[in-house]
Coordinates of all heavy atoms in Angstrom, one line a residue:
A1 N 0.8 -1.2 0.0 CA 0.0 0.0 0.0 C 0.8 1.3 0.0 O 0.5 2.2 -0.6 CB -1.0 0.0 1.2
E2 N 2.0 1.2 0.7 CA 2.8 2.3 0.8 C 3.3 2.7 -0.7 O 3.4 3.9 -1.0 CB 4.0 2.2 1.7 CG 5.0 3.3 1.7 CD 6.1 3.1 2.7 OE1 5.9 2.7 3.8 OE2 7.3 3.2 2.2
G3 N 3.6 1.7 -1.4 CA 4.2 1.9 -2.8 C 3.1 2.6 -3.7 O 3.4 3.4 -4.5
C4 N 1.8 2.2 -3.5 CA 0.7 2.7 -4.3 C 0.6 4.2 -3.9 O 0.4 5.0 -4.8 CB -0.6 2.0 -3.9 SG -0.6 0.3 -4.5
L5 N 0.6 4.5 -2.6 CA 0.4 5.9 -2.2 C 1.6 6.7 -2.7 O 1.4 7.8 -3.2 CB 0.3 6.0 -0.7 CG 0.2 7.4 -0.1 CD1 -1.1 8.1 -0.7 CD2 0.1 7.4 1.4
A6 N 2.8 6.2 -2.5 CA 4.0 6.9 -3.0 C 4.0 7.1 -4.5 O 4.3 8.2 -4.9 CB 5.3 6.2 -2.6
N7 N 3.5 6.2 -5.3 CA 3.4 6.3 -6.6 C 2.4 7.4 -7.1 O 2.7 8.2 -8.0 CB 3.1 5.1 -7.4 CG 3.1 5.2 -8.9 OD1 4.1 5.7 -9.5 ND2 2.0 4.8 -9.5
S8 N 1.3 7.5 -6.4 CA 0.3 8.5 -6.7 C 0.9 9.9 -6.4 O 0.4 10.9 -6.9 CB -1.0 8.3 -5.9 OG -0.8 8.5 -4.6
M9 N 1.9 9.9 -5.6 CA 2.4 11.2 -5.2 C 3.6 11.5 -6.1 O 4.4 12.4 -5.8 CB 2.8 11.2 -3.7 CG 1.6 11.1 -2.8 SD 2.0 10.8 -1.1 CE 2.8 12.3 -0.7
G10 N 4.0 10.6 -7.1 CA 5.1 10.8 -7.9 C 6.4 10.2 -7.6 O 7.4 10.6 -8.2
N11 N 6.4 9.3 -6.6 CA 7.7 8.7 -6.3 C 7.8 7.4 -7.0 O 7.4 6.3 -6.6 CB 7.7 8.5 -4.7 CG 9.0 7.9 -4.2 OD1 9.8 7.5 -5.0 ND2 9.2 8.0 -2.9
D12 N 8.5 7.4 -8.2 CA 8.7 6.2 -9.0 C 9.7 5.2 -8.4 O 9.6 4.0 -8.6 CB 9.2 6.5 -10.4 CG 8.1 7.3 -11.1 OD1 7.0 7.1 -10.9 OD2 8.5 8.1 -12.0
E13 N 10.5 5.6 -7.4 CA 11.5 4.7 -6.9 C 10.8 3.6 -6.0 O 11.2 2.5 -6.0 CB 12.6 5.4 -6.0 CG 13.5 6.3 -6.8 CD 14.2 5.4 -7.9 OE1 14.7 4.4 -7.6 OE2 14.2 5.9 -9.1
V14 N 9.8 4.0 -5.3 CA 9.1 3.1 -4.4 C 8.3 2.1 -5.3 O 8.3 0.9 -5.0 CB 8.1 3.8 -3.5 CG1 7.2 2.8 -2.7 CG2 8.8 4.7 -2.5
L15 N 7.7 2.6 -6.4 CA 7.0 1.6 -7.4 C 7.9 0.5 -7.9 O 7.4 -0.6 -8.0 CB 6.5 2.5 -8.5 CG 5.7 1.7 -9.6 CD1 4.4 1.1 -9.0 CD2 5.4 2.7 -10.8
K16 N 9.1 0.8 -8.1 CA 10.1 -0.2 -8.6 C 10.3 -1.4 -7.7 O 10.6 -2.5 -8.0 CB 11.4 0.4 -9.0 CG 11.3 1.3 -10.2 CD 12.6 2.0 -10.5 CE 12.5 3.0 -11.6 NZ 13.7 3.8 -11.7
D17 N 10.1 -1.1 -6.4 CA 10.3 -2.1 -5.3 C 9.1 -3.0 -5.1 O 9.2 -4.0 -4.4 CB 10.7 -1.5 -4.0 CG 12.1 -0.8 -4.0 OD1 12.8 -1.2 -4.9 OD2 12.3 0.1 -3.3
D18 N 8.0 -2.6 -5.6 CA 6.7 -3.4 -5.4 C 6.5 -4.4 -6.5 O 6.0 -4.1 -7.6 CB 5.5 -2.4 -5.4 CG 5.4 -1.5 -4.2 OD1 6.0 -1.9 -3.2 OD2 4.9 -0.4 -4.3
A19 N 7.0 -5.6 -6.3 CA 6.9 -6.7 -7.2 C 5.4 -7.0 -7.5 O 4.6 -7.1 -6.7 CB 7.6 -8.0 -6.7
G20 N 5.0 -7.1 -8.8 CA 3.7 -7.4 -9.2 C 2.8 -6.3 -9.3 O 1.6 -6.5 -9.7
L21 N 3.2 -5.1 -9.0 CA 2.3 -3.9 -9.0 C 2.1 -3.5 -10.4 O 3.1 -3.4 -11.2 CB 2.8 -2.8 -8.2 CG 1.9 -1.6 -8.0 CD1 0.7 -1.9 -7.2 CD2 2.7 -0.4 -7.3
V22 N 0.9 -3.3 -10.9 CA 0.6 -2.8 -12.3 C -0.1 -1.5 -12.2 O -1.1 -1.4 -11.5 CB -0.3 -3.9 -13.0 CG1 -0.6 -3.4 -14.4 CG2 0.4 -5.2 -13.1
A23 N 0.4 -0.5 -12.9 CA -0.2 0.8 -13.0 C -1.3 0.8 -14.0 O -1.0 0.3 -15.2 CB 0.8 1.9 -13.3
I24 N -2.4 1.2 -13.6 CA -3.6 1.2 -14.6 C -4.1 2.5 -14.8 O -4.1 3.3 -13.8 CB -4.7 0.2 -14.1 CG1 -4.2 -1.2 -14.0 CG2 -5.9 0.3 -14.9 CD1 -5.2 -2.2 -13.4
R25 N -4.5 2.9 -16.0 CA -5.0 4.3 -16.2 C -6.3 4.3 -17.1 O -6.5 3.2 -17.8 CB -3.9 5.1 -16.9 CG -3.5 4.6 -18.4 CD -2.6 5.5 -19.1 NE -2.4 5.1 -20.4 CZ -3.2 5.3 -21.4 NH1 -4.3 6.0 -21.3 NH2 -3.0 4.9 -22.7
N26 N -6.9 5.4 -17.1 CA -8.1 5.6 -18.0 C -7.6 5.7 -19.4 O -6.6 6.3 -19.7 CB -8.8 6.9 -17.6 CG -9.7 6.7 -16.3 OD1 -10.3 5.7 -16.2 ND2 -9.7 7.8 -15.5
V27 N -8.5 5.3 -20.3 CA -8.3 5.5 -21.7 C -8.8 6.9 -22.1 O -10.0 7.2 -21.7 CB -8.9 4.4 -22.6 CG1 -8.8 4.8 -24.1 CG2 -8.3 3.0 -22.3
D28 N -8.0 7.8 -22.7 CA -8.6 9.0 -23.1 C -9.5 9.0 -24.3 O -9.1 8.3 -25.3 CB -7.4 10.0 -23.5 CG -6.5 10.3 -22.2 OD1 -7.1 10.3 -21.1 OD2 -5.3 10.4 -22.4
P29 N -10.6 9.6 -24.3 CA -11.5 9.6 -25.4 C -10.9 10.3 -26.6 O -10.1 11.1 -26.5 CB -12.8 10.2 -25.0 CG -12.3 11.1 -23.8 CD -11.2 10.4 -23.2
K30 N -11.2 9.8 -27.9 CA -10.7 10.4 -29.1 C -11.9 11.1 -29.7 O -13.1 10.7 -29.7 CB -10.1 9.4 -30.0 CG -8.9 8.8 -29.4 CD -8.1 7.9 -30.3 CE -6.9 7.3 -29.9 NZ -6.5 7.4 -28.5
W31 N -11.6 12.2 -30.5 CA -12.6 12.9 -31.3 C -13.2 12.1 -32.4 O -12.4 11.5 -33.2 CB -12.0 14.3 -31.8 CG -13.1 15.1 -32.5 CD1 -13.2 15.3 -33.8 CD2 -14.1 15.8 -31.9 NE1 -14.3 16.1 -34.1 CE2 -14.9 16.4 -32.9 CE3 -14.5 16.0 -30.5 CZ2 -16.0 17.2 -32.6 CZ3 -15.6 16.9 -30.3 CH2 -16.3 17.4 -31.3
N32 N -14.5 12.0 -32.5 CA -15.1 11.3 -33.5 C -15.8 12.2 -34.5 O -16.8 12.9 -34.0 CB -16.2 10.3 -32.9 CG -16.9 9.4 -34.0 OD1 -17.2 9.9 -35.0 ND2 -17.0 8.1 -33.6
E33 N -15.3 12.4 -35.7 CA -15.8 13.4 -36.6 C -17.3 13.1 -36.9 O -18.1 14.0 -37.1 CB -15.0 13.4 -37.9 CG -13.7 14.1 -37.8 CD -13.9 15.6 -37.6 OE1 -14.8 16.2 -38.0 OE2 -13.0 16.1 -36.9
K34 N -17.7 11.8 -37.1 CA -19.1 11.5 -37.4 C -20.0 11.9 -36.4 O -21.1 12.4 -36.6 CB -19.2 10.0 -37.7 CG -20.5 9.5 -38.1 CD -20.4 7.9 -38.4 CE -21.9 7.5 -38.7 NZ -21.9 6.0 -38.8
L35 N -19.7 11.7 -35.1 CA -20.5 12.0 -34.0 C -20.3 13.5 -33.5 O -21.2 14.0 -32.8 CB -20.2 11.1 -32.8 CG -20.5 9.6 -32.9 CD1 -20.0 8.8 -31.7 CD2 -21.9 9.3 -33.2
Q36 N -19.3 14.1 -34.0 CA -18.9 15.4 -33.6 C -18.8 15.5 -32.0 O -19.3 16.4 -31.3 CB -19.9 16.4 -34.1 CG -19.8 16.7 -35.6 CD -18.4 17.3 -35.9 OE1 -18.1 18.4 -35.5 NE2 -17.6 16.6 -36.7
A37 N -18.2 14.5 -31.4 CA -18.0 14.4 -30.0 C -16.8 13.4 -29.7 O -16.4 12.7 -30.5 CB -19.3 13.8 -29.4
H38 N -16.3 13.5 -28.4 CA -15.3 12.6 -28.0 C -16.0 11.3 -27.7 O -17.2 11.2 -27.2 CB -14.7 13.1 -26.7 CG -13.7 14.3 -27.0 ND1 -14.1 15.5 -26.9 CD2 -12.4 14.2 -27.3 CE1 -13.1 16.3 -27.2 NE2 -12.0 15.5 -27.5
S39 N -15.3 10.2 -28.0 CA -15.9 8.9 -27.8 C -14.8 7.9 -27.5 O -13.6 8.1 -27.7 CB -16.7 8.4 -29.0 OG -15.9 8.2 -30.1
L40 N -15.2 6.7 -27.0 CA -14.4 5.5 -26.7 C -15.0 4.3 -27.4 O -16.2 4.2 -27.5 CB -14.3 5.3 -25.1 CG -13.6 6.3 -24.3 CD1 -13.9 6.1 -22.8 CD2 -12.1 6.3 -24.6
N41 N -14.1 3.3 -27.7 CA -14.6 2.0 -28.3 C -14.8 1.1 -27.2 O -14.0 0.6 -26.5 CB -13.5 1.5 -29.2 CG -13.9 0.2 -29.8 OD1 -15.0 -0.2 -29.7 ND2 -12.9 -0.4 -30.5
F42 N -16.2 0.8 -26.9 CA -16.6 -0.1 -25.9 C -16.9 -1.5 -26.5 O -17.6 -2.3 -25.9 CB -17.8 0.5 -25.2 CG -17.5 1.5 -24.2 CD1 -17.6 2.9 -24.6 CD2 -16.9 1.2 -23.0 CE1 -17.2 3.9 -23.7 CE2 -16.5 2.3 -22.1 CZ -16.7 3.6 -22.4
F43 N -16.6 -1.7 -27.8 CA -16.7 -3.0 -28.4 C -18.1 -3.5 -28.5 O -18.4 -4.7 -28.4 CB -15.8 -4.1 -27.7 CG -14.4 -3.6 -27.5 CD1 -14.0 -3.1 -26.3 CD2 -13.5 -3.6 -28.6 CE1 -12.7 -2.6 -26.1 CE2 -12.2 -3.1 -28.4 CZ -11.8 -2.6 -27.2
G44 N -19.1 -2.5 -28.6 CA -20.5 -2.9 -28.7 C -21.2 -3.2 -27.4 O -22.4 -3.5 -27.3
R45 N -20.4 -3.2 -26.2 CA -21.0 -3.5 -25.0 C -21.8 -2.3 -24.3 O -22.7 -2.6 -23.6 CB -19.9 -3.9 -24.0 CG -19.2 -5.2 -24.4 CD -19.9 -6.4 -24.0 NE -20.0 -6.6 -22.6 CZ -21.0 -7.1 -21.9 NH1 -22.1 -7.6 -22.6 NH2 -21.0 -7.3 -20.6
V46 N -21.4 -1.2 -24.6 CA -22.1 0.1 -23.9 C -22.9 0.7 -24.9 O -22.6 0.9 -26.1 CB -21.0 1.0 -23.5 CG1 -21.6 2.3 -22.9 CG2 -20.1 0.4 -22.4
K47 N -24.2 0.9 -24.5 CA -25.2 1.5 -25.5 C -25.6 2.9 -25.3 O -26.0 3.5 -26.2 CB -26.5 0.6 -25.3 CG -26.3 -0.9 -25.4 CD -25.8 -1.3 -26.8 CE -25.7 -2.8 -26.9 NZ -24.9 -3.1 -28.0
L48 N -25.3 3.5 -24.1 CA -25.7 4.9 -23.8 C -24.5 5.7 -23.3 O -23.7 5.1 -22.6 CB -26.8 4.9 -22.7 CG -28.1 4.1 -23.1 CD1 -29.0 4.1 -21.9 CD2 -28.8 4.9 -24.3
A49 N -24.5 6.9 -23.7 CA -23.5 7.8 -23.2 C -23.8 8.1 -21.7 O -24.9 8.2 -21.3 CB -23.6 9.2 -24.0
S50 N -22.7 8.2 -21.0 CA -22.7 8.5 -19.6 C -21.3 9.0 -19.1 O -20.3 8.5 -19.6 CB -23.1 7.3 -18.7 OG -23.0 7.6 -17.3
K51 N -21.4 10.0 -18.2 CA -20.1 10.4 -17.6 C -19.4 9.4 -16.8 O -18.2 9.5 -16.5 CB -20.2 11.8 -16.9 CG -21.1 11.7 -15.6 CD -21.2 13.0 -15.0 CE -22.1 12.9 -13.7 NZ -22.1 14.2 -13.1
K52 N -20.1 8.4 -16.4 CA -19.6 7.3 -15.6 C -18.9 6.2 -16.5 O -18.1 5.3 -16.0 CB -20.6 6.6 -14.7 CG -21.2 7.6 -13.7 CD -22.3 6.9 -13.0 CE -22.8 7.8 -11.9 NZ -23.5 8.9 -12.4
N53 N -19.1 6.2 -17.8 CA -18.5 5.2 -18.6 C -16.9 5.3 -18.6 O -16.4 6.4 -18.7 CB -19.0 5.3 -20.1 CG -20.4 5.0 -20.3 OD1 -21.1 4.6 -19.4 ND2 -21.0 5.4 -21.4
F54 N -16.2 4.2 -18.6 CA -14.8 4.3 -18.7 C -14.2 3.0 -19.1 O -14.7 1.9 -19.0 CB -14.1 4.8 -17.3 CG -14.3 3.8 -16.2 CD1 -13.5 2.7 -16.0 CD2 -15.3 4.0 -15.2 CE1 -13.6 1.8 -14.9 CE2 -15.4 3.2 -14.2 CZ -14.6 2.1 -14.0
L55 N -12.9 3.0 -19.6 CA -12.1 1.9 -19.9 C -10.8 2.1 -19.2 O -10.3 3.2 -19.1 CB -11.7 1.8 -21.5 CG -12.9 1.7 -22.4 CD1 -12.4 1.9 -23.8 CD2 -13.5 0.3 -22.3
L56 N -10.2 1.0 -18.6 CA -8.9 1.0 -18.0 C -8.0 0.1 -18.7 O -8.4 -1.0 -19.1 CB -9.1 0.6 -16.5 CG -10.0 1.4 -15.7 CD1 -10.0 0.8 -14.2 CD2 -9.5 2.8 -15.5
V57 N -6.7 0.5 -18.8 CA -5.7 -0.3 -19.5 C -4.4 -0.2 -18.6 O -4.2 0.8 -17.9 CB -5.3 0.2 -20.9 CG1 -6.6 0.0 -21.8 CG2 -4.9 1.7 -20.9
P58 N -3.5 -1.2 -18.7 CA -2.2 -1.1 -18.0 C -1.4 0.0 -18.7 O -1.5 0.2 -19.9 CB -1.6 -2.5 -18.2 CG -2.7 -3.4 -18.6 CD -3.7 -2.5 -19.3
D59 N -0.7 0.8 -17.9 CA 0.1 1.9 -18.4 C 1.1 1.3 -19.4 O 1.8 0.3 -19.0 CB 0.8 2.6 -17.2 CG 1.3 4.0 -17.7 OD1 0.8 4.5 -18.7 OD2 2.2 4.5 -17.0
G60 N 1.2 1.8 -20.6 CA 2.2 1.3 -21.6 C 1.6 0.2 -22.5 O 2.3 -0.3 -23.3
D61 N 0.3 -0.2 -22.2 CA -0.2 -1.3 -23.0 C -1.7 -0.8 -23.4 O -2.7 -1.4 -22.9 CB -0.3 -2.6 -22.3 CG -0.6 -3.8 -23.1 OD1 -0.8 -3.6 -24.4 OD2 -0.7 -4.9 -22.6
P62 N -1.8 0.2 -24.3 CA -3.1 0.7 -24.5 C -4.2 -0.1 -25.2 O -5.3 0.2 -25.2 CB -2.8 2.0 -25.4 CG -1.5 1.6 -26.1 CD -0.8 0.8 -25.0
D63 N -3.7 -1.3 -25.8 CA -4.7 -2.1 -26.5 C -5.2 -3.2 -25.6 O -6.0 -4.0 -26.0 CB -4.0 -2.8 -27.7 CG -3.6 -1.7 -28.7 OD1 -4.4 -0.7 -28.8 OD2 -2.6 -1.8 -29.4
N64 N -4.7 -3.3 -24.4 CA -5.1 -4.4 -23.4 C -6.1 -3.9 -22.4 O -5.7 -3.5 -21.3 CB -3.9 -5.0 -22.7 CG -4.2 -6.1 -21.8 OD1 -5.2 -6.7 -21.9 ND2 -3.2 -6.3 -20.9
V65 N -7.4 -3.8 -22.7 CA -8.4 -3.3 -21.8 C -8.6 -4.3 -20.7 O -9.0 -5.5 -21.0 CB -9.7 -3.0 -22.6 CG1 -10.8 -2.6 -21.6 CG2 -9.5 -2.0 -23.7
V66 N -8.4 -3.9 -19.5 CA -8.6 -4.8 -18.3 C -9.9 -4.5 -17.5 O -10.3 -5.3 -16.7 CB -7.4 -4.8 -17.4 CG1 -6.1 -5.3 -18.1 CG2 -7.1 -3.4 -16.8
C67 N -10.5 -3.4 -17.8 CA -11.7 -3.1 -17.2 C -12.6 -2.1 -18.1 O -12.1 -1.2 -18.6 CB -11.5 -2.3 -15.8 SG -13.0 -2.1 -14.9
L68 N -13.8 -2.6 -18.3 CA -14.8 -1.8 -19.0 C -16.0 -1.6 -18.2 O -16.6 -2.5 -17.7 CB -15.1 -2.6 -20.3 CG -16.2 -2.0 -21.3 CD1 -15.9 -2.6 -22.7 CD2 -17.5 -2.5 -20.9
F69 N -16.5 -0.4 -18.1 CA -17.7 -0.1 -17.4 C -18.5 0.9 -18.1 O -18.0 1.9 -18.6 CB -17.3 0.5 -16.0 CG -18.6 0.9 -15.2 CD1 -19.4 -0.2 -14.6 CD2 -19.0 2.2 -15.0 CE1 -20.5 0.2 -13.8 CE2 -20.1 2.5 -14.3 CZ -20.9 1.5 -13.7
G70 N -19.8 0.7 -18.4 CA -20.6 1.6 -19.1 C -22.1 1.3 -18.9 O -22.6 0.2 -18.6
K71 N -22.8 2.3 -19.4 CA -24.3 2.3 -19.3 C -24.9 1.5 -20.5 O -24.6 1.8 -21.6 CB -24.8 3.7 -19.2 CG -26.3 3.9 -18.8 CD -26.6 5.3 -18.6 CE -27.9 5.5 -17.9 NZ -28.2 6.8 -17.5
V72 N -25.8 0.6 -20.2 CA -26.5 -0.2 -21.2 C -28.0 0.1 -21.3 O -28.7 -0.1 -22.3 CB -26.3 -1.7 -21.1 CG1 -24.8 -2.0 -21.3 CG2 -26.7 -2.2 -19.8
A73 N -28.6 0.7 -20.3 CA -30.0 1.1 -20.1 C -30.2 2.0 -18.9 O -29.2 2.2 -18.2 CB -30.9 -0.2 -20.1
R74 N -31.3 2.5 -18.8 CA -31.6 3.3 -17.7 C -31.4 2.6 -16.4 O -31.9 1.5 -16.2 CB -33.0 3.9 -17.7 CG -33.4 4.8 -16.5 CD -34.7 5.5 -16.7 NE -34.9 6.5 -15.7 CZ -35.8 6.4 -14.7 NH1 -36.4 5.3 -14.5 NH2 -35.8 7.3 -13.8
D75 N -30.5 3.1 -15.5 CA -30.1 2.5 -14.2 C -29.6 1.0 -14.4 O -29.6 0.3 -13.4 CB -31.4 2.4 -13.3 CG -31.9 3.7 -12.9 OD1 -31.1 4.7 -12.8 OD2 -33.1 3.9 -12.8
T76 N -29.0 0.7 -15.6 CA -28.3 -0.6 -15.8 C -27.0 -0.3 -16.4 O -26.8 0.3 -17.5 CB -29.2 -1.4 -16.7 OG1 -30.5 -1.5 -16.2 CG2 -28.6 -2.8 -16.9
Y77 N -26.0 -1.0 -15.8 CA -24.6 -0.8 -16.3 C -24.0 -2.2 -16.5 O -24.4 -3.2 -15.9 CB -23.7 0.0 -15.3 CG -24.1 1.4 -15.2 CD1 -25.2 1.8 -14.4 CD2 -23.4 2.4 -15.9 CE1 -25.5 3.2 -14.2 CE2 -23.8 3.7 -15.8 CZ -24.8 4.1 -15.0 OH -25.2 5.4 -15.0
V78 N -22.9 -2.2 -17.3 CA -22.2 -3.5 -17.5 C -20.7 -3.2 -17.0 O -20.2 -2.1 -17.1 CB -22.2 -3.9 -19.0 CG1 -21.4 -2.8 -19.9 CG2 -21.6 -5.2 -19.2
L79 N -20.2 -4.3 -16.4 CA -18.8 -4.2 -15.9 C -18.1 -5.5 -16.4 O -18.5 -6.7 -16.0 CB -18.8 -4.3 -14.3 CG -17.4 -4.5 -13.7 CD1 -16.5 -3.3 -14.0 CD2 -17.5 -4.5 -12.1
D80 N -17.1 -5.3 -17.2 CA -16.3 -6.4 -17.7 C -14.9 -6.2 -17.1 O -14.4 -5.0 -17.1 CB -16.2 -6.4 -19.2 CG -17.5 -6.7 -19.8 OD1 -18.4 -7.3 -19.2 OD2 -17.6 -6.3 -21.0
F81 N -14.2 -7.2 -16.7 CA -12.8 -7.1 -16.1 C -12.0 -8.4 -16.4 O -12.6 -9.4 -16.6 CB -12.8 -6.7 -14.7 CG -13.5 -7.7 -13.8 CD1 -12.7 -8.7 -13.2 CD2 -14.8 -7.7 -13.6 CE1 -13.3 -9.7 -12.4 CE2 -15.4 -8.7 -12.7 CZ -14.6 -9.7 -12.1
K82 N -10.8 -8.3 -16.3 CA -9.9 -9.4 -16.4 C -8.6 -9.2 -15.6 O -8.4 -8.0 -15.2 CB -9.6 -9.8 -17.8 CG -8.8 -8.8 -18.5 CD -8.5 -9.2 -20.0 CE -7.5 -8.3 -20.6 NZ -7.2 -8.6 -22.1
P83 N -7.8 -10.2 -15.3 CA -6.6 -10.0 -14.6 C -5.8 -8.9 -15.3 O -5.8 -8.9 -16.5 CB -5.9 -11.4 -14.7 CG -7.0 -12.3 -14.8 CD -8.0 -11.6 -15.7
P84 N -5.1 -8.1 -14.5 CA -4.7 -8.3 -13.2 C -5.7 -7.8 -12.1 O -5.5 -7.9 -10.9 CB -3.4 -7.5 -13.0 CG -3.7 -6.3 -14.0 CD -4.4 -6.9 -15.1
L85 N -6.9 -7.3 -12.5 CA -7.9 -6.9 -11.6 C -8.7 -8.0 -11.1 O -9.1 -8.9 -11.8 CB -8.9 -5.9 -12.3 CG -8.4 -4.5 -12.7 CD1 -9.5 -3.7 -13.3 CD2 -7.8 -3.9 -11.4
S86 N -9.0 -8.0 -9.8 CA -9.9 -9.0 -9.2 C -11.3 -8.5 -9.2 O -11.5 -7.3 -9.5 CB -9.5 -9.3 -7.7 OG -9.8 -8.2 -6.9
C87 N -12.3 -9.3 -8.9 CA -13.7 -8.9 -8.9 C -13.9 -7.8 -7.9 O -14.5 -6.8 -8.2 CB -14.5 -10.1 -8.5 SG -16.3 -9.7 -8.4
V88 N -13.2 -7.9 -6.7 CA -13.4 -6.9 -5.7 C -12.7 -5.6 -6.2 O -13.3 -4.5 -6.0 CB -12.8 -7.4 -4.4 CG1 -12.7 -6.2 -3.4 CG2 -13.5 -8.5 -3.8
Q89 N -11.6 -5.6 -6.8 CA -10.9 -4.4 -7.3 C -11.8 -3.7 -8.3 O -12.0 -2.5 -8.3 CB -9.5 -4.7 -7.8 CG -8.5 -5.1 -6.7 CD -7.3 -5.6 -7.3 OE1 -7.3 -6.4 -8.3 NE2 -6.2 -5.3 -6.7
A90 N -12.3 -4.5 -9.2 CA -13.1 -3.9 -10.4 C -14.4 -3.3 -9.8 O -14.7 -2.1 -10.1 CB -13.5 -5.0 -11.3
F91 N -15.0 -4.0 -8.9 CA -16.3 -3.5 -8.3 C -16.0 -2.2 -7.5 O -16.7 -1.2 -7.6 CB -16.9 -4.5 -7.4 CG -18.2 -4.0 -6.8 CD1 -19.4 -3.8 -7.5 CD2 -18.2 -3.8 -5.3 CE1 -20.6 -3.3 -6.9 CE2 -19.4 -3.2 -4.8 CZ -20.5 -3.0 -5.6
L92 N -15.0 -2.2 -6.7 CA -14.6 -0.9 -5.9 C -14.2 0.2 -6.8 O -14.5 1.3 -6.5 CB -13.6 -1.3 -4.8 CG -14.1 -2.2 -3.7 CD1 -13.0 -2.6 -2.8 CD2 -15.3 -1.7 -3.0
T93 N -13.6 -0.1 -7.9 CA -13.2 1.0 -8.8 C -14.5 1.6 -9.4 O -14.6 2.9 -9.4 CB -12.4 0.4 -10.0 OG1 -11.2 -0.1 -9.4 CG2 -12.0 1.5 -10.9
V94 N -15.4 0.8 -9.7 CA -16.7 1.4 -10.2 C -17.5 2.1 -9.1 O -17.9 3.2 -9.4 CB -17.6 0.2 -10.8 CG1 -19.0 0.7 -11.0 CG2 -16.9 -0.3 -12.0
L95 N -17.5 1.5 -8.0 CA -18.2 2.1 -6.9 C -17.6 3.6 -6.6 O -18.4 4.5 -6.3 CB -18.1 1.3 -5.6 CG -19.0 1.6 -4.5 CD1 -20.6 1.4 -4.9 CD2 -18.8 0.6 -3.3
S96 N -16.4 3.7 -6.7 CA -15.7 5.0 -6.4 C -16.1 6.1 -7.5 O -15.8 7.2 -7.2 CB -14.2 4.8 -6.3 OG -13.6 4.6 -7.5
S97 N -16.5 5.6 -8.6 CA -16.8 6.6 -9.6 C -18.2 7.2 -9.5 O -18.5 8.2 -10.2 CB -16.8 5.9 -11.1 OG -17.9 5.0 -11.2
F98 N -19.0 6.7 -8.6 CA -20.4 7.3 -8.4 C -20.2 8.5 -7.4 O -19.5 8.4 -6.4 CB -21.3 6.3 -7.8 CG -21.8 5.3 -8.8 CD1 -21.0 4.2 -9.2 CD2 -23.0 5.6 -9.5 CE1 -21.5 3.4 -10.2 CE2 -23.4 4.7 -10.5 CZ -22.7 3.6 -10.8
E99 N -20.9 9.6 -7.7 CA -20.7 10.9 -7.0 C -21.5 10.9 -5.7 O -21.1 11.5 -4.7 CB -21.0 12.0 -7.9 CG -20.2 12.2 -9.1 CD -20.7 13.3 -10.0 OE1 -21.6 13.9 -9.7 OE2 -20.0 13.5 -11.0
H100 N -22.7 10.3 -5.7 CA -23.5 10.4 -4.6 C -23.2 9.3 -3.6 O -22.5 8.3 -3.9 CB -25.0 10.3 -4.9 CG -25.3 9.1 -5.6 ND1 -25.1 8.8 -6.9 CD2 -25.9 7.9 -5.1 CE1 -25.5 7.6 -7.2 NE2 -26.0 7.0 -6.1
R101 N -23.6 9.5 -2.3 CA -23.3 8.5 -1.3 C -24.4 7.4 -1.3 O -25.5 7.8 -1.2 CB -23.2 9.2 0.1 CG -22.1 10.1 0.3 CD -22.0 10.6 1.6 NE -20.9 11.5 1.7 CZ -20.6 12.0 2.9 NH1 -21.3 11.9 4.0 NH2 -19.5 12.8 3.0
L102 N -23.9 6.2 -1.5 CA -24.9 5.1 -1.5 C -25.3 4.8 -0.1 O -24.5 4.8 0.9 CB -24.3 3.8 -2.1 CG -23.8 4.0 -3.5 CD1 -23.1 2.7 -4.0 CD2 -25.0 4.3 -4.4
G103 N -26.6 4.6 0.1 CA -27.1 4.2 1.4 C -27.3 5.5 2.4 O -27.7 5.3 3.5
V104 N -27.1 6.7 1.9 CA -27.4 7.9 2.6 C -28.5 8.6 2.1 O -28.5 8.9 0.9 CB -26.1 8.7 2.7 CG1 -26.3 10.1 3.5 CG2 -25.0 8.0 3.3
S105 N -29.5 8.9 2.9 CA -30.7 9.6 2.3 C -30.9 11.0 3.0 O -30.3 11.3 3.9 CB -31.9 8.8 2.5 OG -32.2 8.4 3.8

């Protein structure tokens, strides 16, 4: 955990000591002339635009999508993931993307 925190603060030396740690980043959307908007390739899995939609890839491997999250219908989302992410890591990543507090009224 110390390595993760140190890396987020810009300390690459600590990151090198953490065996098996993989840095993962968001995929930046690209401008789509046809849509006249920024977009991402969700491989047909995501059907609706949402600010919560995202793709995650290992840093330095932009073609290896390890997590895909997106809206498919009103109040319905899809979550696809693969190693190195576990089910818990993928779910908590998605949960952290929601702005409101769950369970608080």
